[in-house]
Amino acid sequence: DDEDDEDDEDDEDEYRPRKLRKRKHKGYLTLTSKPDCIMGYTDEDGIPRAEMPCGCAFAADTMYQFTKSFFGNNLSESKAVCPMPQKTYCKGNDKQRLWPWALVFAIADLSDKEIAYYTNAINNRVSGSKNCPHKNCGAVTSRPDDLRISRVRCNVCNQSDWCWNCGKPWNHSGLGPICGNKGCMADRLNALLLPKNCGTIKTPPPNHSWNTTNEGQLIVKTRACPKCLC
């Protein structure tokens, strides 16, 4: 029951209206009359916008959707860069277009729980090693070169596979990013990469392999979808 209650809280947090908290972030947010760069909101819509260092304007909900899309569509990037085309729309230079995550989180009106959630995602992408979670091991384990892969096995203790993102035992088929553990951050951050959004992969006949015309690779031992590795 407690887990169900926690899931309900997560859903409420995800779908709640996003607002620019001017008092909470006084002196940090710069309100602007510019239209929202993506949704086109203006003062007539009654939706406040904040100006980014590059000069582009974003409403709270627009920034929240950008944040979700950033982590859902990209498994390796850790820097927030203005999504608007440079020069043709965004007039900021490269330094101004690189946004501080604290500002992004403030404009997106993230809760403390969401901030911790996404901060953990960023740290996972930046860090290249972790300690093996198996009892009596703790050996330093390197991150897979392919950042789409979340399934890891320690070369020291050689015990069961575990998830790079949550550190729990691997409970799913394939290599990643979904490990099958409830509450793992990849379960939400990579929702756009679930098998339902990928091509249907049929099991090859015995002693036969199949290839992927999209990737041009010959797959022999794995049946993982070449798009999401599910």
Side-chain angles (χ1 to χ4, degrees):
D1 293 341
D2 292 340
E3 289 184 357
D4 292 339
D5 292 341
E6 185 175 340
D7 289 342
D8 291 340
E9 291 178 4
D10 290 341
D11 290 339
E12 290 178 3
D13 204 16
E14 181 175 358
Y15 296 109
R16 65 179 170 82
R18 303 283 162 166
K19 301 178 181 179
L20 291 180
R21 309 287 178 177
K22 293 173 286 186
R23 292 184 179 179
K24 181 179 179 180
H25 304 291
K26 186 177 180 180
Y28 192 47
L29 301 185
T30 302
L31 299 185
T32 180
S33 59
K34 296 179 180 178
D36 183 287
C37 288
I38 294 178
M39 300 303 297
Y41 299 131
T42 66
D43 290 339
E44 294 180 358
D45 298 306
I47 301 177
R49 286 89 57 207
E51 185 170 339
M52 302 304 291
C54 61
C56 291
F58 285 79
D61 186 69
T62 306
M63 186 61 78
Y64 175 64
Q65 296 302 327
F66 163 78
T67 303
K68 288 207 306 179
S69 176
F70 177 91
F71 287 100
N73 289 322
N74 194 313
L75 296 179
S76 60
E77 187 57 67
S78 61
K79 297 180 180 180
V81 179
C82 178
M84 306 308 295
Q86 192 172 18
K87 295 182 179 180
T88 57
Y89 193 99
C90 177
K91 305 304 181 183
N93 57 38
D94 290 342
K95 183 177 180 180
Q96 294 169 329
R97 284 170 55 79
L98 184 61
W99 298 342
W101 278 115
L103 180 59
V104 171
F105 292 166
I107 294 177
D109 190 22
L110 298 189
S111 64
D112 291 341
K113 188 173 184 179
E114 288 174 321
I115 292 174
Y117 190 73
Y118 286 113
T119 299
N120 187 33
I122 296 169
N123 291 338
N124 272 337
R125 296 179 179 196
V126 173
S127 175
S129 62
K130 285 188 176 183
N131 295 104
C132 174
H134 285 299
K135 188 176 181 179
N136 300 325
C137 182
V140 176
T141 304
S142 298
R143 181 174 193 155
D145 292 333
D146 188 338
L147 297 183
R148 296 175 300 170
I149 297 177
S150 302
R151 191 170 186 168
V152 181
R153 174 168 292 192
C154 174
N155 292 328
V156 176
C157 68
N158 201 33
Q159 297 187 55
S160 59
D161 297 346
W162 46 278
C163 175
W164 177 267
N165 297 303
C166 67
K168 296 179 181 179
W170 192 266
N171 290 316
H172 197 267
S173 60
L175 303 176
I178 308 302
C179 67
N181 291 303
K182 190 174 184 180
C184 177
M185 72 170 187
D187 192 33
R188 285 180 175 271
L189 296 183
N190 300 300
L192 296 177
L193 298 177
L194 286 172
K196 65 182 180 180
N197 293 320
C198 297
T200 301
I201 304 300
K202 296 182 178 180
T203 303
N207 301 321
H208 285 71
S209 62
W210 49 267
N211 60 7
T212 63
T213 55
N214 290 337
E215 301 293 336
Q217 299 173 336
L218 185 65
I219 310 299
V220 179
K221 295 183 179 180
T222 180
R223 299 173 184 172
C225 171
K227 291 185 180 179
C228 72
L229 302 182
C230 57

